[in-house]
Amino acid sequence: MFTGTADELRTRQAQAPRELAEQAAVLLGQIDALGLGEGNGQLRTPGGVIRNRPGQGWTVADH
């Protein structure tokens, strides 16, 4: 259970979508490394757009 202040909670809630999008980008990179096929190129999430950039792998960009 969260025991911080209301401001700390709001900050964490604001950061969570971006952090989850970054974690998804890492997972997509790992899946691609298995050689199971190409992704569709991008996913739109509340935390940003996850894009597959040639030579850079999966990255998160703001909307």
Side-chain angles (χ1 to χ4, degrees):
M1 176 186 266
F2 181 76
T3 59
T5 67
D7 285 338
E8 290 171 333
L9 178 59
R10 280 190 290 278
T11 299
R12 285 186 181 195
Q13 289 173 329
Q15 292 172 339
R18 177 66 181 217
E19 290 171 3
L20 290 172
E22 290 172 352
Q23 290 174 19
V26 169
L27 290 173
L28 288 166
Q30 291 172 346
I31 290 168
D32 280 348
L34 294 173
L36 300 176
E38 289 295 317
N40 291 333
Q42 74 176 21
L43 296 170
R44 293 190 178 275
T45 74
V49 180
I50 303 169
R51 291 189 176 115
N52 189 358
R53 299 194 176 208
Q56 296 179 21
W58 292 89
T59 61
V60 179
D62 292 328
H63 292 277

